[in-house]
């Protein structure tokens, strides 16, 4: 069988650049070289794009930006090319069968890269432009999923330039303290804070606005943090749920990636009834948002059942990431998972 050409995008102009490097290194090491010709494409923090020919360890340790291993390149929007154009002396063209965007956060998970690839006619792993953008925006996610009848936390959205004093009153009356303040468009808990009084709320909003021009403030939901790894296109398959026990007060960036005391439990320590409800809600949310390929659907499991927190359309693939761990626990190790994701990408956009 002829090997397929797979491009793996990593890095990106995003606050989650470093996490992308870890995810990409895992993906690159697990793509079967007997089945795939792999082309790593790195995006620097400044937005320069390179075809990278060095060791994968350099990506993981963020020392890949060495001109010895780099060739300037672009992803062609010309569907006659459907691939990479290397900006070398020969202007070589590498046709690409599928792209794996191992990117997180803005300029990677928010529909921007997906739009480019859809224009280029290149199949890619994950959700399409619209569903990626809608899932990235926490306010839009709330609006769509609440309309679909999926339980979520009460929230208030705030845009730059709005009257803060009036919004503070609305938040206090509708949500009560403590509240969680989040950038509307960011992941990995970047810019997320917990506010227990008005002064803390103002500071938390300022921190969130450093990451995005829109902020959402949510009521506190008390419950176990449980995640479900959904896989598929028209007939999505929800994994068994996995539970996170954060070493920090809540599962923030440091708790996710730096604190070794955070623990994962697979399967989650919840009842059979909650497990069934959560898996059903995960699929319902996946379909309501128009997801395809994969998404990690995050919940709080309360005394009254699951409450959906958010949907992550390009979940982490690091050594400690829940998505690949959940799929592996269900019998699909990372190499086989990547093959299935490529198949789903070609099925959906072939």
């Amino acid at each position: 069988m002829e090997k397929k050409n797979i491009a793996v995008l990593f890095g990106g102009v995003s606050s989650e650049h470093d996490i992308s490097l870890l995810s990409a290194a895992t993906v690159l090491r697990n793509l079967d070289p007997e089945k795939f010709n792999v082309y790593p494409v790195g995006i620097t923090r400044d937005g320069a794009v390179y075809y990278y020919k060095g060791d994968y360890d350099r990506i993981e340790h963020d020392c890949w930006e060495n001109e010895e291993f780099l060739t300037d390149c672009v992803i062609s929007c010309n569907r006659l090319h459907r691939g990479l154009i290397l900006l070398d002396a020969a202007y070589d063209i590498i046709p690409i069968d599928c792209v794996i965007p191992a990117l997180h956060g803005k300029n990677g998970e928010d529909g921007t890269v997906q739009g480019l690839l859809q224009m280029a006619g290149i199949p890619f792993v994950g959700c399409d432009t619209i569903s990626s953008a809608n899932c990235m925006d926490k306010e839009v996610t709330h609006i769509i999923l609440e309309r679909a009848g999926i339980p979520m936390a009460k929230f208030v959205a705030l845009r730059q330039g709005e009257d803060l004093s009036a919004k503070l009153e609305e938040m206090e009356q509708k949500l009560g303290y403590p509240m969680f303040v989040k950038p509307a468009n960011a992941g990995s808990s970047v810019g997320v804070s917990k506010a227990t009084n008005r002064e803390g709320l103002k500071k938390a909003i300022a921190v969130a606005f450093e990451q995005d021009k829109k902020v959402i403030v949510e009521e506190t939901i008390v419950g176990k943090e449980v995640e479900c790894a959904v896989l598929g296109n028209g007939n999505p398959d929800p994994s068994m749920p996995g539970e996170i026990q954060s070493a920090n007060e809540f599962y923030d960036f440091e708790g996710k990636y730096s604190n070794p005391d955070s623990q994962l439990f697979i399967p989650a320590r919840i009842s059979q009834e909650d497990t069934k409800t959560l898996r059903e809600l995960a699929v319902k949310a996946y379909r309501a948002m128009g997801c395809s390929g994969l998404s990690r659907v995050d919940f709080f499991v309360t005394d009254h059942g699951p409450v959906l927190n958010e949907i992550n359309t390009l979940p982490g693939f690091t050594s400690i990431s829940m998505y690949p761990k959940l799929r592996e626990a269900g019998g699909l190790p990372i190499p086989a998972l990547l093959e299935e994701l490529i198949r789903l990408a070609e099925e959906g956009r072939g």
Side-chain angles (χ1 to χ4, degrees), residues 31-306:
L31 284 167
D32 187 347
E34 297 298 315
K35 298 178 180 179
F36 306 113
N37 298 312
V38 181
Y39 298 91
V41 178
I43 304 171
T44 70
R45 291 173 176 83
D46 296 325
V49 182
Y50 298 104
Y51 167 43
Y52 172 73
K53 293 167 284 186
D55 190 272
Y56 297 157
D57 287 347
R58 287 180 168 270
I59 296 175
E60 182 175 17
H61 298 295
D62 196 11
C63 54
W64 64 277
E65 292 181 43
N66 185 319
E67 62 182 21
E68 175 185 357
F69 308 113
L70 306 179
T71 301
D72 285 294
C73 73
V74 296
I75 299 172
S76 174
C77 289
N78 187 331
R79 292 195 174 207
L80 295 177
H81 299 148
R82 281 180 55 127
L84 300 176
I85 299 178
L86 304 185
L87 304 181
D88 53 12
Y91 268 66
D92 292 320
I93 297 175
I94 302 174
I96 297 297
D97 296 300
C98 183
V99 170
I100 301 177
L103 302 166
H104 305 304
K106 290 184 179 180
N107 303 305
E109 193 174 352
D110 57 0
T112 49
V113 166
Q114 290 76 12
L116 170 64
L117 295 171
Q118 282 183 224
M119 286 179 61
I122 303 173
F124 57 92
V125 166
C127 299
D128 66 13
T129 303
I130 294 174
S131 56
S132 296
N134 286 343
C135 288
M136 184 71 178
D137 189 313
K138 294 177 177 64
E139 182 189 22
V140 174
T141 300
H142 267 281
I143 292 169
I144 294 174
L145 294 186
E146 287 177 2
R147 182 66 180 266
I150 294 172
M152 298 189 74
K154 291 184 288 187
F155 80 103
V156 173
L158 174 67
R159 290 161 176 77
Q160 283 181 336
E162 284 192 273
D163 182 358
L164 180 58
S165 60
K167 282 289 185 176
L168 291 174
E169 293 284 349
E170 180 184 356
M171 293 167 191
E172 289 172 335
Q173 291 178 13
K174 182 176 180 180
L175 310 176
Y177 293 106
M179 308 174 200
F180 279 94
V181 183
K182 307 174 180 180
N185 292 275
S188 290
S189 299
V190 174
V192 176
S193 306
K194 184 178 182 179
T196 57
N197 54 49
R198 178 169 282 207
E199 201 55 40
L201 179 57
K202 290 179 181 178
K203 291 178 181 177
I205 289 171
V207 168
F209 271 134
E210 292 175 3
Q211 301 296 327
D212 193 41
K213 61 185 178 182
K214 182 168 65 171
V215 166
I216 69 163
V217 183
E218 295 176 332
E219 67 172 330
T220 294
I221 301 295
V222 178
K224 293 181 177 180
E225 296 193 45
V226 179
E227 301 179 347
C228 183
V230 184
L231 177 69
N233 291 336
N235 187 29
D237 174 51
S239 72
M240 71 175 74
E243 178 188 346
I244 297 160
Q245 183 171 293
S246 178
N248 296 346
E249 183 182 4
F250 62 95
Y251 202 41
D252 58 6
F253 187 91
E254 195 268 344
K256 286 182 179 179
Y257 301 110
S258 303
N259 195 324
D261 295 328
S262 293
Q263 293 181 278
L264 306 182
F265 296 92
I266 300 174
R269 300 171 299 177
I270 59 177
S271 69
Q272 288 187 346
E273 181 182 357
D274 281 339
T275 296
K276 181 177 183 292
T277 300
L278 185 148
R279 295 178 78 229
E280 291 172 350
L281 287 173
V283 170
K284 185 176 182 180
Y286 191 87
R287 286 178 166 147
M289 298 302 295
C291 296
S292 56
L294 79 164
S295 288
R296 194 193 69 230
V297 188
D298 300 348
F299 294 87
F300 295 108
V301 177
T302 74
D303 292 341
H304 307 289

